[in-house]
């Protein structure tokens, strides 16, 4: 069923049941990959708040979770390439294994920005876990990207945390823009 958000129409792309299944599988993979340590999960607000909440409930090994807030879309449907950095977290990640949790990798600029910023703090490792990936939009290789929920076309999406003009974050399913 089509929905309208502000001036744009959207149609279903990924149903809540499929998201739930995929999030469980990623959680299991993280449990296996990080059982040797106490990883630090860094959630990137706002868009990943539902993904972080659902994913973290699947984690059954000791872990820490902290947040940062970055924005690059400013209410439009294309990346502005300029990143606004709103929260600098205080957890000391020196010598720790870090997993960044993102809603979506589009150009990859936000991820590169955050990875470069965290590397300075000398963690043992940094991996990226993104619910969505737009492979055709990625501008430079992102070797830290180890966990991906779904690869999607280069199209604008909303729902499950992702917004258009700050709306649509509450939707259970993910929708794509109707062209
Ligand atoms: P990147 O820096 O171009 O990879 O963009 C990353 C950020 O832009 C994400 O964390 C989202 O907040 C936002 N973004 C990218 N694509 C979409 C989309 O299709 N819908 C909503 N937000 C998006």
């Amino acid at each position: 069923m089509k929905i309208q958000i502000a001036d744009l129409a959207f149609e279903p792309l990924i149903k809540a049941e499929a998201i739930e299944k995929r999030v469980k599988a990623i959680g299991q993979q993280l449990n296996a990959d990080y059982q040797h340590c106490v990883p630090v999960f860094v959630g990137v607000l706002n868009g990943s708040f539902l993904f972080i909440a659902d994913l973290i409930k699947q984690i059954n090994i000791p872990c820490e979770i902290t947040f940062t807030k970055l924005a690059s879309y400013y209410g439009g449907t294309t990346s502005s390439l300029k990143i606004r950095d709103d929260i600098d977290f205080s957890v000391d990640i020196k010598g720790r294994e870090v997993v960044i949790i993102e809603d979506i990798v589009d150009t990859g600029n936000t991820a590169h920005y955050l990875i470069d910023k965290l590397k300075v703090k000398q963690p043992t490792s940094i991996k990226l876990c993104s619910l969505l990936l737009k492979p055709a939009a990625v501008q430079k290789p992102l070797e830290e990207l180890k966990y991906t929920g779904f690869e999607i076309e280069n199209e604008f999406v909303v729902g499950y945390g992702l917004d258009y003009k700050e709306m649509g974050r509450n939707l259970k399913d993910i929708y794509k823009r109707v062209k």
Side-chain angles (χ1 to χ4, degrees), residues 72-73 79 102-104 106-110 134 156-157 163:
S72 72
Y73 259 53
S79 203
E102 265 273 27
D103 52 354
I104 187 164
D106 182 7
T107 61
N109 287 316
T110 306
K134 296 181 189 174
F156 188 73
V157 294
D163 75 302

Side-chain angles (χ1 to χ4, degrees), residues 63-153:
C63 64
E64 284 181 44
I65 175 139
T66 186
F67 299 92
T68 185
K69 186 170 177 191
L70 301 172
S72 72
Y73 259 53
Y74 309 122
T77 59
T78 50
S79 203
S80 74
L81 304 182
K82 234 184 100 207
I83 295 157
R84 202 178 64 216
D85 192 338
D86 282 345
I87 305 180
D88 197 3
F89 64 91
S90 54
V91 175
D92 183 9
I93 57 168
K94 187 170 182 181
R96 304 292 301 277
E97 305 221 10
V98 171
V99 183
I100 297 170
I101 305 177
E102 265 273 27
D103 52 354
I104 187 164
V105 171
D106 182 7
T107 61
N109 287 316
T110 306
H112 276 293
Y113 169 86
L114 184 57
I115 289 165
D116 288 348
K117 186 175 148 178
L118 296 186
K119 270 186 183 161
V120 175
K121 299 173 189 269
Q122 298 177 288
T124 305
S125 69
I126 303 181
K127 296 290 175 213
L128 177 62
C129 171
S130 182
L131 178 69
L132 301 174
L133 168 67
K134 296 181 189 174
V138 176
Q139 290 180 351
K140 44 181 175 169
L142 201 50
E143 63 189 35
E144 291 84 0
L145 180 58
K146 184 164 180 198
Y147 309 93
T148 303
F150 302 90
E151 293 193 358
I152 62 170
E153 301 288 308

Side-chain angles (χ1 to χ4, degrees), residues 7-20:
D7 55 325
L8 296 183
F10 292 86
E11 61 192 4
L13 178 64
I14 309 171
K15 301 296 278 180
E17 295 73 27
I19 298 172
E20 197 184 346

